[in-house]
Amino acid sequence: VSVLGIGHGTKLLTDLYNCHLTRVYTVGGLFGKATNDFSDTGQLVEKTTFDHITREKLERILAVIQGTNRKALLMYSNIDMKTQEAYELAVKGLIRPMGKSPPIITAIRCLQLTLPEFQLEIHCLHETQQYLRKVVHEIGLELKSSAVCTQVRRIRDGVFTLEDALLRTQWDLQNVQNAISGCQLKVKTEIERTL
Amino acid sequence: VFQYAGKAAKRKDRVFVWGFCYSGALGIPSFVKPDAGWKKPRRIQPTPYRLETAEKISSAACGYGFTLLSSTTTDITKVWGMGLNKDSQLGFQRSKRDRMKGYEYVLEPSPIPLPLEKPQQTRVLQVSCGRAHSLILTDSEGVFTMGNNSYGQCGRKIVEDEIYSESHLIHQLKEFDSRVVQVVCGQDHSLFRTKNGTVYACGWGADGQTGLGHYDITSVPTKLRGDIAGVNIIQVSSYGDCCLAVSDEGDVFGWGNSEYLQLACVTETTQVNVPRHLPFKIGKIKEAACGGTGNVVLTEEGNVFVWGYGILGKGPNLIETAVPEMIPPSLFGWSDFSPDTRVAHVRCGLSHFAALTNKGELFVWGKNLRGCLGTGRMEDHYFPWRVTVPGEVLDVACGVDHMVSMVKSF
């Protein structure tokens, strides 16, 4: 999912960026190899065994990652922890860093694990592709093995999901107009809610 | 090809400690007396620090400035203690310099010699620590008590002007109606729960915490009556001057100090000396924990309810309440992505609370006295905050200004 703005829409793009909404990726990885740029097209650094990895171990590591990122989320949101509104926002889960911050993962889940391949669904803020590949590499290290990233696919960007996206074969005027009118309402409500 | 971990790699058991170091309760001597020139004495350890132990520790308890660790081994050494020993709450620790004198502060986990009849068969099941006394529960030889006995909390006759420091005396309690399965220490009193579901108490009773119907000192463990007579109690808890007991049907009973509205839903008096049933309509209760001023219970569905006085965990506006208030599960890591994350255990220190989830995460909240919360920050936390521990937390023991946790590595 890649968001494009046409004409007046470019101003809306900056507003959407300031909303700091989460993006969802499906990340595919492979156990057993480690490369210098964390993806499978880089230079091989080492190979390791991976037959001791089970789904249970992976889920435990993912729970830890989620927990530490949640803590980072609360710390970078720059809200004083001693206030009552901080407590209420934390309960609803609406605490979110409203300025510049390092990449934070809000949720991570394992979709499938068939050794040596695995697939994860990651919800994150302010991330870069290199950060996602690094996360895969670190998961491999935590499981006492190594991993490289084979696939990164964005399936949601704020309010735009796969269903709103147009395939390359559908890039013609009619479809684009329908898509714009469909998403207009969603974008407006989201901007009004946050700003 | 590198192999970092084989197929049969086992997960190791570790102990992590954090909090106030100068009392020696953390068990790491270099925090108090540095052994290398560059090290400085550390007053507070704000994040979990690994403690090396000789055996796998199955039970730990934190008292007021001291800690006891025990394992279920059949070796001669089963219990280790560290911290304050001014009232011999860690037994007699023979000083290396003078064979007749004992140590007043024990800086590293030292074995506690127990007068067992069958030292290579008996196993230590559980330990518990109060302000200046400790209880050790074994499977076949009853309960051993040591430490201060000025209120009879060790279960033996009070001797006037007894000097408790450097005392070799360890008392053994065997006369109960059935086997004791849980021992709990309050500040200056002791509670014993037997297999039949009865509760015995001894020690200081000025706040009614012995629950025996009077406000005097008891030096012999006596059976409690009141609303718990005939009820099968499955868990007892106490740390300050208030006590809670949970029955097998999910009811909770309380007695003791009620100055902070802990028992205000049944009575207006500030001291309750007979166990009273607390009629809460929050569901079947699985576990309860008492702190100095606040109490927390865990229901069968996995919800956490707090009441009392102090930082209860619902933001800075909730300072005191007599009716239990629920802490939303989203603060413990529950979300649409992990709907099966629930709280498995709750524990209480003097002014802070701890909760363990089934995923092995530890959440703490309350007053951060001398770094006891372990979050790395020195401020108080008004709602549950996750502690970063490198491993899956199995159990945690809370003290006044330090905490000990038993963790399994990944």
Side-chain angles (χ1 to χ4, degrees):
Chain A
V1 172
S2 195
V3 181
L4 296 158
I6 304 175
H8 301 289
T10 44
K11 295 182 200 95
L12 286 175
L13 271 183
T14 42
D15 287 339
L16 264 185
Y17 184 70
N18 290 337
C19 280
H20 304 284
L21 300 163
T22 57
R23 299 190 188 144
V24 181
Y25 292 82
T26 43
V27 174
L30 196 69
F31 283 123
K33 286 203 293 189
T35 59
N36 56 353
D37 69 348
F38 312 136
S39 78
D40 54 351
T41 52
Q43 195 186 23
L44 195 62
V45 168
E46 67 174 6
K47 281 198 202 175
T48 53
T49 58
F50 50 81
D51 45 358
H52 60 274
I53 298 176
T54 60
R55 179 124 193 181
E56 201 190 270
K57 285 188 195 171
L58 185 64
E59 304 223 317
R60 231 180 278 140
I61 302 286
L62 294 183
V64 168
I65 292 179
Q66 215 169 343
T68 45
N69 274 278
R70 229 174 134 251
K71 219 166 108 164
L73 192 70
L74 295 177
M75 299 231 297
Y76 279 106
S77 60
N78 281 335
I79 305 181
D80 189 9
M81 285 298 137
K82 299 202 174 163
T83 55
Q84 183 68 17
E85 49 175 274
Y87 164 71
E88 266 150 34
L89 286 176
V91 169
K92 285 189 225 147
L94 287 180
I95 289 191
R96 187 170 286 172
M98 277 294 159
K100 269 194 171 309
S101 84
I104 299 184
I105 297 179
T106 49
I108 187 166
R109 192 167 50 166
C110 174
L111 294 174
Q112 54 158 318
L113 170 70
T114 44
L115 289 175
E117 288 181 359
F118 65 97
Q119 246 200 358
L120 305 170
E121 185 185 317
I122 305 185
H123 295 233
C124 38
L125 281 173
H126 304 161
E127 75 298 339
T128 59
Q129 206 208 73
Q130 211 225 356
Y131 181 72
L132 292 171
R133 282 182 278 145
K134 194 170 162 218
V135 164
V136 170
H137 179 249
E138 276 170 9
I139 290 178
L141 287 180
E142 274 289 318
L143 288 166
K144 301 194 180 68
S145 171
S146 54
V148 291
C149 180
T150 49
Q151 184 202 44
V152 170
R153 186 171 172 233
R154 187 182 307 175
I155 59 174
R156 209 186 100 156
D157 187 349
V159 283
F160 302 101
T161 63
L162 269 180
E163 285 122 20
D164 304 324
L166 299 169
L167 296 176
R168 206 183 282 219
T169 49
Q170 293 173 318
W171 285 1
D172 58 1
L173 190 60
Q174 191 62 35
N175 279 329
V176 170
Q177 269 184 334
N178 290 343
I180 291 181
S181 45
C183 298
Q184 219 171 22
L185 193 59
K186 275 200 278 187
V187 171
K188 231 199 266 185
T189 46
E190 193 62 39
I191 293 184
E192 265 160 37
R193 210 158 53 127
T194 327
L195 295 170
Chain B
V1 180
F2 292 99
Q3 186 183 43
Y4 291 115
K7 229 177 170 160
K10 286 202 197 107
R11 297 171 69 188
K12 300 189 194 67
D13 300 291
R14 303 215 167 104
V15 176
F16 283 87
V17 293
W18 61 91
F20 186 60
C21 317
Y22 276 171
S23 56
L26 299 190
I28 297 152
S30 59
F31 283 168
V32 182
K33 273 189 144 31
D35 46 6
W38 54 269
K39 285 192 192 169
K40 274 186 249 166
R42 217 182 286 202
R43 181 171 166 259
I44 289 176
Q45 172 58 34
T47 47
Y49 191 91
R50 184 150 152 229
L51 176 70
E52 300 274 347
T53 53
E55 300 263 355
K56 175 186 179 235
I57 302 292
S58 60
S59 162
C62 294
Y64 288 41
F66 65 105
T67 321
L68 276 182
L69 305 170
S70 80
S71 79
T72 50
T73 163
T74 45
D75 294 344
I76 309 252
T77 326
K78 300 172 209 285
V79 188
W80 294 264
M82 54 249 205
L84 285 181
N85 199 22
K86 287 197 170 198
D87 288 310
S88 301
Q89 54 263 59
L90 305 175
F92 184 71
Q93 303 287 336
R94 206 178 284 278
S95 164
K96 287 205 184 83
R97 270 182 284 185
D98 185 347
R99 302 284 303 177
M100 287 298 115
K101 294 227 178 82
Y103 281 128
E104 277 196 344
Y105 288 89
V106 180
L107 295 181
E108 88 179 333
S110 310
I112 296 178
L114 294 173
L116 295 166
E117 275 173 15
K118 303 196 185 84
Q120 278 163 335
Q121 283 179 22
T122 322
R123 285 180 200 268
V124 171
L125 298 176
Q126 195 213 331
V127 283
S128 184
C129 302
R131 183 186 60 88
H133 71 296
S134 25
L135 302 177
I136 300 174
L137 173 66
T138 59
D139 57 354
S140 52
E141 294 196 34
V143 182
F144 290 91
T145 65
M146 42 204 199
N148 193 309
N149 195 38
S150 36
Y151 303 111
Q153 61 265 48
C154 286
R156 57 186 165 91
K157 205 155 99 81
I158 301 171
V159 174
E160 262 202 43
D161 296 329
E162 185 179 349
I163 302 173
Y164 295 109
S165 77
E166 299 174 13
S167 154
H168 290 255
L169 189 56
I170 299 183
H171 188 65
Q172 188 177 14
L173 292 167
K174 278 205 237 184
E175 289 89 31
F176 295 96
D177 60 356
S178 59
R179 199 160 67 82
V180 180
V181 288
Q182 189 192 358
V183 286
V184 168
C185 287
Q187 195 167 4
D188 282 307
H189 71 289
S190 314
L191 298 169
F192 309 86
R193 175 175 69 90
T194 63
K195 206 156 154 214
N196 286 355
T198 50
V199 181
Y200 288 73
C202 63
W204 200 32
D207 278 330
Q209 59 264 52
T210 47
L212 294 168
H214 56 76
Y215 293 112
D216 303 323
I217 295 175
T218 323
S219 57
V220 172
T222 326
K223 198 159 150 180
L224 263 71
R225 271 181 251 278
D227 287 353
I228 59 175
V231 179
N232 188 14
I233 302 287
I234 54 167
Q235 198 233 339
V236 182
S237 166
S238 173
Y239 201 67
D241 291 327
C242 178
C243 313
L244 287 181
V246 178
S247 74
D248 55 354
E249 278 154 29
D251 296 320
V252 68
F253 300 83
W255 65 97
N257 196 3
S258 178
E259 283 167 17
Y260 303 101
L261 310 177
Q262 290 112 317
L263 307 171
C265 58
V266 279
T267 170
E268 288 279 318
T269 53
T270 47
Q271 274 90 13
V272 177
N273 58 5
V274 176
R276 299 285 305 272
H277 176 218
L278 302 174
F280 297 140
K281 302 271 182 304
I282 51 184
K284 207 167 145 184
I285 290 171
K286 205 165 66 161
E287 205 178 0
C290 279
T293 57
N295 298 345
V296 61
V297 290
L298 176 69
T299 58
E300 288 271 310
E301 296 110 47
N303 290 326
V304 177
F305 286 83
V306 288
W307 78 99
Y309 173 81
I311 302 181
L312 295 176
K314 289 193 69 146
N317 285 1
L318 191 70
I319 300 286
E320 59 172 9
T321 167
V323 178
E325 304 258 344
M326 186 169 101
I327 297 188
S330 58
L331 291 172
F332 294 113
W334 182 93
S335 69
D336 298 324
F337 283 101
S338 45
D340 54 345
T341 306
R342 293 161 53 176
V343 177
H345 297 286
V346 281
R347 302 265 183 266
C348 244
L350 200 64
S351 45
H352 64 281
F353 303 87
L356 291 172
T357 59
N358 54 358
K359 299 263 158 128
E361 298 187 335
L362 175 63
F363 287 86
V364 293
W365 66 98
K367 234 175 149 37
N368 197 359
L369 197 59
R370 300 187 277 266
C372 61
L373 290 185
T375 56
R377 296 148 65 111
M378 298 310 293
E379 20 177 88
D380 308 330
H381 283 282
Y382 290 89
F383 55 89
W385 190 268
R386 191 174 177 273
V387 179
T388 316
V389 179
E392 190 187 324
V393 185
L394 299 174
D395 200 7
V396 69
C398 302
V400 169
D401 53 10
H402 70 293
M403 281 167 76
V404 170
S405 61
M406 268 91 63
V407 171
K408 230 181 169 124
S409 70
F410 289 128

